[in-house]
């Protein structure tokens, strides 16, 4: 179960909830079969299967105890039939490859959604880490 | 002039061309008035005016001699009336705040587009720097 996906905000909430339960089947179920997802280091996953497999790998390792906090989510409907949800998030409890704890970090996740029966699903997502105090990267 | 915006690929090309001419009016003209853009460090610009002003500031300074190379652009039409263009790019010739040259860097830019008269325009964009050899950031 992913929770409700009746509204775009429900889908954004359900992504965070699935992450925090480390339920990657539920997380993947929020995406269309042909969705793409680019993560914070530019890894580009094509299709729900790749999205699920990649998240399963990291949730067995660096993200296994992590918790994602939804600081704010803004939903726009720029044209009929499209929702764009953008979430400012903070991640806590993640680990380095040597298993040492890492400090919290923040970022911005965009999720493009389209209607499906009974609600909305994600057709595209991209994630970016925030870096405070700079205009671009690297400085 | 931004060049042709007849197809989504034209718009992606025109963004790169405007960047390389440092013509921020042409770059901004590719966006809908209410478009949002999140850059590689999570700065979140709301509206064409903010997008133009932010790019004008950086193209007067760190990006004034920079050239953006379009390594590959992939356009998807997940549903009618939406195009999602994703460009793998390399930036060269940019500078640190102390004006010293910086090495090339690569990233992934997603641009969500909808039709407008005679072509397509960007309603949302987000940019992410690539980091090679890691699954997430920071490690």
């Amino acid at each position: 179960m992913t929770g409700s996906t009746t509204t775009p905000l429900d889908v954004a909430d359900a992504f965070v909830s699935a992450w925090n339960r480390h339920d990657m089947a539920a997380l993947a179920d929020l995406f269309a079969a042909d969705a793409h997802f680019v993560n914070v280091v530019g890894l580009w996953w094509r299709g729900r299967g790749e999205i699920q497999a990649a998240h399963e790998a990291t949730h067995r390792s660096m993200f296994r105890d992590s918790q994602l906090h939804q600081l704010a989510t803004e939903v726009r409907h720029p044209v009929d039939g499209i929702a764009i949800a953008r979430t400012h998030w903070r991640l806590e409890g993640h680990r380095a490859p040597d298993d040492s704890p890492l400090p919290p970090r923040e970022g911005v996740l965009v999720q493009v959604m389209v209607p499906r029966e009974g609600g909305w699903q994600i057709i595209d997502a991209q994630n970016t880490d925030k870096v405070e105090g700079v205009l671009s990267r690297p400085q």
Side-chain angles (χ1 to χ4, degrees), chain A:
Chain A
M1 271 298 293
T2 57
S4 169
T5 56
T6 306
T7 71
L9 186 57
D10 290 337
V11 175
D13 293 349
F15 180 92
V16 171
S17 169
W19 181 291
N20 290 338
R21 299 193 315 276
H22 310 292
D23 182 346
M24 295 303 108
L27 185 140
D29 193 49
L30 301 171
F31 290 83
D34 60 352
H36 286 201
F37 192 141
V38 166
N39 89 336
V40 294
V41 293
L43 292 174
W44 185 335
W45 302 309
R46 290 170 173 85
R48 185 194 291 143
E50 285 189 22
I51 292 167
Q52 182 169 345
H55 282 90
E56 283 174 348
T58 51
H59 281 258
R60 278 194 300 267
S61 53
M62 68 179 77
F63 295 144
R64 71 178 185 274
D65 298 319
S66 70
Q67 292 290 299
L68 194 58
H69 300 275
Q70 202 173 356
L71 304 181
T73 295
E74 192 172 318
V75 176
R76 301 193 297 132
H77 289 277
V79 297
D80 280 351
I82 308 175
I84 298 181
R86 210 171 234 113
T87 295
H88 175 196
W89 52 262
R90 179 187 296 131
L91 184 69
E92 298 184 350
H94 51 298
R95 296 168 180 274
D98 68 1
D99 223 38
S100 61
L102 287 171
R105 61 186 171 93
E106 295 188 13
V108 178
L109 172 66
V110 64
Q111 295 170 320
V112 182
M113 303 181 198
V114 297
R116 68 169 161 189
E117 193 180 349
W120 293 79
Q121 65 180 351
I122 305 165
I123 54 168
D124 199 90
Q126 184 156 327
N127 211 352
T128 304
D129 268 20
K130 283 177 73 77
V131 183
E132 295 296 334
V134 296
L135 294 174
S136 191
R137 174 208 299 263
Q139 299 286 326

